[in-house]
Amino acid sequence: VQLQASGGGLVQPGGSLRLSCAASGLTLDDVAIGWFRQAPGKEREGVSCSNGGHTYYKDSVKGRFTMSRDNAKNTVYLQMNSLKAEESATYYCAVNPGNICSWGPLAYGYWGQGTQVTVSS
């Protein structure tokens, strides 16, 4: 199983980015897939998760972040709008083969390598 995260970069406050997570070795339809972020010196925190047609978001990103998927490409996306400086972090995608969404990183058995998001003017 491999997860390839991409799409990070430098964006001004209020700007947008779309992250991608391309999966191989499994079918995203059958698993829970989450996005996490970790800033230097802070714990890894869950941002969103999708499984079986349900999608969950951390309260602070509701209305600004949207997960979507392209089943044909076996890829999941995280559209991030109205980004804030405090959301600068390395963003990771992760898979729980048990198809259960959790905010706890330990529930996820497979992780992408992370993509850096920097929100700064």
Side-chain angles (χ1 to χ4, degrees):
V1 176
Q2 287 191 332
L3 302 174
Q4 182 70 38
S6 61
L10 173 63
V11 63
Q12 292 186 344
S16 298
L17 283 174
R18 189 178 79 156
L19 306 183
S20 300
C21 179
S24 59
L26 54 78
T27 301
L28 291 178
D29 277 351
D30 301 330
V31 301
I33 184 160
W35 284 98
F36 287 76
R37 64 189 179 192
Q38 188 168 21
K42 294 188 176 181
E43 293 187 351
R44 191 167 297 190
E45 65 173 0
V47 175
S48 65
C49 181
S50 177
N51 72 326
H54 296 88
T55 305
Y56 307 90
Y57 297 97
K58 177 180 174 66
D59 285 345
S60 64
V61 308
K62 286 180 181 176
R64 299 186 297 118
F65 289 15
T66 304
M67 278 188 74
S68 62
R69 64 175 69 201
D70 184 333
N71 290 334
K73 295 182 178 180
N74 214 29
T75 298
V76 172
Y77 305 97
L78 182 67
Q79 177 67 43
M80 307 186 296
N81 298 329
S82 301
L83 281 161
K84 305 174 182 180
E86 58 266 33
E87 294 179 312
S88 296
T90 301
Y91 283 68
Y92 301 87
C93 56
V95 160
N96 177 358
N99 203 23
I100 296 174
C101 276
S102 169
W103 295 123
L106 293 178
Y108 296 79
Y110 302 101
W111 289 83
Q113 84 287 3
T115 184
Q116 179 67 40
V117 172
T118 302
V119 185
S120 175
S121 55

